[in-house]
Amino acid sequence: MAITNNRLTKEQYEQNFSDIRPPFENKTAAVVEANRCLFCYDAPCTKSCPTSINIPKFIKQISTDNVKGSAHTIFISNIMGAGCSKVCPVEKLCEGACVYNLLEEEPIQIARLQQYSTMKALQENWQLFERKPANGKKVAIVGAGPAGLSCAHVLAREGVEATIYEKEEKGGGLMTYGIAAYKVTPQFCEDEVNYITSIGGIEIKYNQELGKNLSLSDLQQNYDAIYLGIGVGVARQLDIPGEDLLGVVDAIKFIYELRDKGYSAIPIGDKVAVIGMGMTAIDAATQAKRLGAKEVTMIYRRTQEEMPCTEYELNIAKLDGCEIIWLAAPKEVKGVNGKVTQLVCHVMKLGEPDISGRRSPVDTGETITLDVDMVIKAAGQVPFEDLVKGSSLDNKNGKIVIDNNSATNIQGVFAGGDAVNGGKEVVDAVQAGKDGAAAILRYLKLF
Amino acid sequence: MADISSSFLGIKSPNPFWLASAPPTDKKYNVLRAFEAGWGGVVWKTLGSQVKNVSSRYSAVDYNGSRVMGFNNIELISDRPLEINLKEIAECVKLFPDRAMIVSLMADNDRNSWHELIKKVEDTGAHGLELNFGCPHGMTERGMGATVGQDPEIACMVVEWVMEVAKIPVITKLTPNVHSVVPTGRSVVKAGTNGLSLINTIQSVTGIDLDTFVPNPNVGGKSVFGGYCGPAVKPIALKMLTTIAQDELTRTVPISGIGGISTWRDAVEFMLLGAGNVQVCTAAMKHGFRIIDDMIEGLNNWMDEKGFKKLDDFIGKSVPSITHWEDLDINYHIIAKINQDKCIHCGLCYIACEDTSHQSIRLDYGKPYNTYSVIDEECVGCNLCKLVCPVDDCITMEVHRKGDEYINWKEWQKRGLPLNDH
Ligand SMILES: Cc1cc2nc3c(=O)[nH]c(=O)nc-3n(C[C@H](O)[C@H](O)[C@H](O)COP(=O)(O)OP(=O)(O)OC[C@H]3O[C@@H](n4cnc5c(N)ncnc54)[C@H](O)[C@@H]3O)c2cc1C
Ligand SMILES: Cc1cc2nc3c(=O)[nH]c(=O)nc-3n(C[C@H](O)[C@H](O)[C@H](O)COP(=O)(O)O)c2cc1C
Ligand code: SF4
Ligand code: SF4
């Protein structure tokens, strides 16, 4: 057993990481699907999209060949409509609520239709928004992820100058550095960021890290308001013996490297254990498999009933050949010569419901041992606790606390996205950015 | 199994489905394929003097992704030499003696031309003639086609010429491009036509190319009004058929129903409104002759289900149920009912009634699904909600009579009963 990179040929990598939600082949295919849409009133799909895209309207616009109008309908509610169309877990959002489900029929392929219009807009660089004349106000945004970009776009539309400070050298946040490579490509992420900023009035300053070469007070001095869209950080520590052995890796870092360096550069084990059953865990497991790991086993301390990922996501992992062990919690990582060789788990059973309403797992006293050479930790992410606390921001375990006006406890400082909710979806972060922008506009008395 | 064989003016065919006079019937090759596929008969593409066609010739109306809801053409009568047509007709009759062979005619507008043409056609062994008084384009400018059909006197004159020589049954095909088909219908029946057929195509503009600004079909940058047919014209054809089936004089002759027939269901509807048989063009042009299979099987199964042994058992059955508005029962009242178990919460009934009808549907907001229910007192029983509902039998119209007594508008007025209850 060994951890090595470059396990597959170029063709194999390409095939393994090809687009999981491919676009419609052509206009006819899109229009056939668009015509299936019933054009519901007060549509359930729209109510189930966190950004409330007027779905029946944009679909109708595809069927009348008003693709520009369709793209505008999407972007007015969600400027990352293109990215969302590729990464949204639609089975629990818009498509999950489509009335066709109630007829036991396939729901409308909302995301693929959304992709049809928005990708055309990106490709043709359609400028669908006009900026209001500059009003002299300046806002600093920290983080060029979905929340920050969405906030910046609304502000730019309203004539505000938005400056985004981003610690990485590329924009897009976890869209660029976190989401599975078979959902979006680096090129797409870059194009999407460029499309968003092409409206004008948005400047992104890269390699600028709040808390390092930048402080909140600097920003407060130079800007009329501040929006924090810094997301969340690394994967939660397991706090078990052996966590520092060679071969134990953080899922976020693992995926970051994968997205940053390319498939063949990423070392992967023969037998990989992934701890957790959220989106990140699924993405880590499926991508470990697609990088050429022989066996991938997912470990989760509860059962399928309680798992945080959707059934659709679970099925991707299953179809990729990942094994799943329910009711197992990591106890210890064992190693030889400083390298991982085994993962020991407690066997759990379900007890009484906890505060989240989910039945909490209790130790049965038994254990199981897996022979592995790599352990990927994906049991939730931790917020940037030091940064948040160091800036005297009200917080809950590092998650920034805001009121229903997106405002933090510090006057003129607003926040949203993963940094506040602890980690949801891109589409939630986009909505948070819109809410933040609206709050800032009210604060600056521009509304 | 029911007997679906048909005898129209004594012309026998194994089923009541004929192909209408049009491209599907314009040469031996097509007609033999049609007979092999199982069609009961054909009306050969209209013969007359030599013409020349243009290109392009057709255009269509698509609706919500469904192609060819309506079809439009600017073709003329047969553009093949008469002698070839006649020779091929004779060959087809010989090869398929059990199928109906009707020949459509549009001679030049003089007695001699008609007489000569009829004699030549009768020599082929064809079983009947159909007079094309309906073609709405190209031929009209020459005083033929619809020009004849639109003027009862000219139509009468031509039919009289025809009847002077015709030895086989004569069907006169009516044009719909008139305020009413009845005057011409009466006039040609008086002149002696043995039967009627309707409708021919309706003058139309199917659409305009939004890039070139030229209407369809485009012939070198120009267009003309074309003849409209296909599913879109069926309701108009059914109405026209009914007026012929109800008129005292025209109903005395057999009627061949045409216009937008694509399925056995469409055919049955025409027959219920008095058509002795039916003719099909667009549906065959869209799908080919193979549609005949289901037409035959569907008709058979339906007749068995309803207990009809032969076509005459149901032909004309619905004619009496179309009446005058003032004879309708005002006490008959229906109220929509939404089956909550079937409802998929699309809200289409609500928005239709709320914006355009009687605000009779209540909306209770939910996330993501709203609940919709009918406000009985407000519902006028218009059917709109039921029509727009995408789920079969989810909205039903329940009878809640306003009174036991049948009372019509004339009686209502006589008694001075209240108006405008809504
Ligand atoms: C592995 C993984 C898979 C996922 N898959 C999906 C998916 O399929 N679909 C989906 O909808 N969502 C998915 N998500 C969630 C989604 O990526 C996030 O919810 C979303 O990106 C949150 O947006 P954000 O703007 O709040 O934060 P982020 O995207 O995290 O953006 C924050 C930005 O702030 C920058 N930043 C952080 N700290 C500082 C600082 N101190 N100074 C300057 N800049 C800073 C970061 O570099 C980053 O660019 C996934 C997440 C993970 C981890
Ligand atoms: C391309 C085309 C050519 C036609 N040519 C004739 C014709 O020569 N003579 C005629 O009587 N009717 C002609 N018709 C009319 C059809 O016979 C028929 O009356 C009409 O199309 C309505 O039937 P449908 O809806 O089934 O097509 C033609 C129709 C089409 C589409
Ligand atoms: S943004 Fe996501 S949830 Fe909203 S409509 Fe598009 S695909 Fe669905
Ligand atoms: S619920 Fe489905 S059918 Fe209705 S508008 Fe939305 S996508 Fe269309």
Side-chain angles (χ1 to χ4, degrees), chain A residues 84 86-89 142-149 165-168 170-175 177-180 183 208-211 214 229-232 251-252 255 279-281 283-284 287 313 381 384 387 416-419 421 423-430:
Chain A
C84 281
K86 291 164 175 279
V87 309
C88 272
V142 186
L149 287 167
Y165 293 89
E166 166 58 53
K167 73 173 162 61
E168 300 289 336
K170 288 186 205 153
L174 286 177
M175 193 78 167
Y177 292 110
I179 284 168
K183 291 183 182 164
Q208 305 290 318
E209 183 166 352
L210 183 67
L214 199 65
I230 54 175
V232 277
I252 305 297
I255 297 170
M279 291 267 252
T280 306
D283 284 0
Q287 292 181 109
E313 299 272 339
Q381 280 167 265
F384 296 111
L387 172 61
D418 279 5
N421 65 34
K424 278 175 141 181
E425 318 299 343
V426 171
V427 65
D428 297 294
V430 172

Side-chain angles (χ1 to χ4, degrees), chain A residues 28 31-32 35 38-45 47-48 60 63 96-103, chain B residues 63-67 342-348 350-351 363 365-370 372 390-391:
Chain A
T28 310
V31 171
V32 165
N35 276 317
L38 298 170
F39 199 49
C40 296
Y41 173 74
D42 194 28
C45 53
K47 288 198 219 169
S48 303
K60 183 97 178 165
S63 71
C98 173
V99 299
Y100 271 102
N101 292 296
L102 304 174
L103 285 170
Chain B
Y63 185 74
N64 265 10
S66 195
R67 300 273 196 237
K342 289 191 171 175
C343 177
I344 58 169
H345 317 281
C346 65
L348 295 182
Y350 170 81
I351 197 59
L363 186 171
Y365 282 101
K367 192 162 189 280
Y369 301 120
N370 299 339
Y372 301 97
V391 181

Side-chain angles (χ1 to χ4, degrees), chain B residues 20-23 45-46 58 71 73 75 132 173 199-201 229-230 258-260 280-282:
Chain B
S21 173
K45 172 77 184 170
T46 307
Y58 307 149
F71 189 55
N73 84 90
E75 268 183 359
N132 179 351
K173 183 168 178 178
I199 60 175
N200 209 310
T201 55
C229 51
I258 319 169
V280 176
C281 169
T282 303

Side-chain angles (χ1 to χ4, degrees), chain B residues 71-318:
Chain B
F71 189 55
N72 163 292
N73 84 90
I74 56 168
E75 268 183 359
L76 306 179
I77 60 174
S78 174
D79 55 8
R80 306 166 77 225
L82 180 64
E83 300 315 317
I84 295 183
N85 275 311
L86 294 172
K87 179 172 153 277
E88 291 190 359
I89 291 169
E91 287 166 3
C92 292
V93 171
K94 273 208 194 78
L95 284 166
F96 282 89
D98 65 326
R99 310 302 167 89
M101 172 63 75
I102 315 302
V103 181
S104 171
L105 304 178
M106 187 194 292
D108 289 353
N109 232 350
D110 63 80
R111 180 190 221 142
N112 248 351
S113 302
W114 278 99
H115 283 185
E116 267 174 40
L117 186 59
I118 290 169
K119 280 181 198 141
K120 284 184 188 163
V121 169
E122 287 190 337
D123 288 343
T124 63
H127 309 114
L129 305 174
E130 187 179 79
L131 312 182
N132 179 351
F133 289 178
C135 183
H137 46 259
M139 308 309 293
T140 47
E141 289 86 332
R142 310 174 197 196
M144 294 184 258
T147 310
V148 178
Q150 281 162 345
D151 186 329
E153 276 176 41
I154 304 180
C156 172
M157 178 179 74
V158 175
V159 171
E160 278 170 2
W161 294 339
V162 169
M163 300 319 291
E164 285 164 10
V165 291
K167 295 197 202 65
I168 52 178
V170 173
I171 304 164
T172 303
K173 183 168 178 178
L174 299 176
T175 176
N177 298 300
V178 285
H179 161 66
S180 162
V181 286
V182 175
T184 304
R186 292 176 74 105
S187 152
V188 297
V189 170
K190 276 190 207 138
T193 190
N194 304 110
L196 293 169
S197 60
L198 77 168
I199 60 175
N200 209 310
T201 55
I202 305 174
Q203 280 209 309
S204 64
V205 176
T206 48
I208 299 176
D209 184 316
L210 296 188
D211 296 319
T212 64
F213 310 111
V214 180
N216 311 320
N218 179 333
V219 183
K222 296 275 182 209
S223 192
V224 292
F225 298 154
Y228 200 44
C229 51
V233 309
K234 189 185 101 176
I236 301 166
L238 285 175
K239 182 262 173 179
M240 292 182 160
L241 168 65
T242 307
T243 60
I244 291 291
Q246 290 187 332
D247 180 80
E248 266 166 44
L249 182 60
T250 50
R251 75 177 179 212
T252 58
V253 301
I255 313 162
S256 185
I258 319 169
I261 296 165
S262 311
T263 66
W264 65 268
R265 303 185 72 95
D266 299 331
V268 165
E269 288 169 354
F270 274 77
M271 294 169 87
L272 286 169
L273 283 177
N277 74 359
V278 296
Q279 301 183 27
V280 176
C281 169
T282 303
M285 290 185 74
K286 185 175 175 197
H287 302 292
F289 296 136
R290 62 208 163 111
I291 57 169
I292 188 65
D293 291 342
D294 181 58
M295 295 184 85
I296 291 172
E297 288 168 29
L299 175 63
N300 242 308
N301 290 339
W302 178 79
M303 285 175 66
D304 285 349
E305 225 167 78
K306 299 287 168 199
F308 296 131
K309 300 257 175 308
K310 49 189 192 329
L311 301 178
D312 283 337
D313 292 353
F314 69 91
I315 287 172
K317 208 173 164 55
S318 299

Side-chain angles (χ1 to χ4, degrees), chain A residues 80-377:
Chain A
M80 290 199 114
C84 281
S85 76
K86 291 164 175 279
V87 309
C88 272
V90 288
E91 60 283 0
K92 67 174 184 189
L93 300 173
C94 55
E95 292 182 19
C98 173
V99 299
Y100 271 102
N101 292 296
L102 304 174
L103 285 170
E104 305 294 328
E105 283 293 318
E106 285 297 310
I108 301 296
Q109 298 179 34
I110 299 169
R112 290 180 76 207
L113 289 167
Q114 180 172 316
Q115 197 176 341
Y116 176 77
S117 304
T118 54
M119 286 309 284
K120 205 151 191 179
L122 257 66
Q123 276 150 15
E124 318 249 321
N125 195 21
W126 285 336
Q127 289 303 316
L128 302 168
F129 299 94
E130 229 172 279
R131 288 189 68 203
K132 286 195 186 151
N135 49 34
K137 299 289 183 192
K138 294 186 335 188
V139 172
I141 294 170
V142 186
L149 287 167
S150 149
C151 179
H153 197 267
V154 175
L155 292 175
R157 256 151 50 193
E158 296 299 325
V160 174
E161 293 286 329
T163 308
I164 307 181
Y165 293 89
E166 166 58 53
K167 73 173 162 61
E168 300 289 336
E169 50 190 47
K170 288 186 205 153
L174 286 177
M175 193 78 167
T176 301
Y177 292 110
I179 284 168
Y182 46 76
K183 291 183 182 164
V184 281
T185 62
Q187 186 59 52
F188 165 77
C189 294
E190 198 178 321
D191 291 348
E192 184 170 49
V193 172
N194 290 339
Y195 182 70
I196 294 171
T197 54
S198 69
I199 184 176
I202 304 174
E203 190 195 354
I204 307 183
K205 293 185 190 275
Y206 292 108
N207 303 311
Q208 305 290 318
E209 183 166 352
L210 183 67
K212 283 223 173 111
N213 56 344
L214 199 65
S215 78
L216 206 51
S217 51
D218 294 345
L219 296 175
Q220 277 172 306
Q221 265 168 26
N222 296 317
Y223 293 91
D224 299 302
I226 295 160
Y227 183 79
L228 301 174
I230 54 175
V232 277
V234 289
R236 191 177 302 284
Q237 283 289 108
L238 298 171
D239 292 327
I240 55 171
E243 197 165 353
D244 49 1
L245 287 167
L246 214 63
V248 180
V249 297
D250 163 353
I252 305 297
K253 270 207 202 101
F254 168 66
I255 297 170
Y256 177 99
E257 305 258 292
L258 168 68
R259 294 295 310 273
D260 197 42
K261 298 196 176 133
Y263 316 124
S264 59
I266 307 304
I268 192 79
D270 280 321
K271 294 187 171 192
V272 180
V274 176
I275 295 163
M277 198 45 88
M279 291 267 252
T280 306
I282 297 280
D283 284 0
T286 52
Q287 292 181 109
K289 196 80 209 236
R290 288 166 194 232
L291 284 172
K294 297 208 172 73
E295 277 175 30
V296 173
T297 310
M298 300 187 71
I299 314 279
Y300 183 51
R301 60 200 179 112
R302 307 180 196 234
T303 70
Q304 185 164 346
E305 289 273 298
E306 294 84 23
M307 71 181 180
C309 70
T310 65
E311 191 163 334
Y312 173 83
E313 299 272 339
L314 177 67
N315 286 340
I316 299 179
K318 283 185 177 165
L319 286 172
D320 276 359
C322 301
E323 296 290 325
I324 290 145
I325 300 181
W326 305 105
L327 291 168
K331 176 172 183 279
E332 181 184 1
V333 187
K334 289 186 171 168
V336 175
N337 301 330
K339 292 185 187 164
V340 174
T341 55
Q342 282 184 326
L343 175 68
V344 185
C345 297
H346 298 287
V347 176
M348 313 297 277
K349 67 174 186 211
L350 284 186
E352 293 304 308
D354 62 12
I355 21 171
S356 74
R358 299 185 302 180
R359 293 176 66 191
S360 46
V362 278
D363 192 353
T364 60
E366 285 169 46
T367 62
I368 47 167
T369 302
L370 306 174
D371 290 335
V372 294
D373 55 5
M374 188 168 178
V375 175
I376 303 180
K377 302 184 284 183

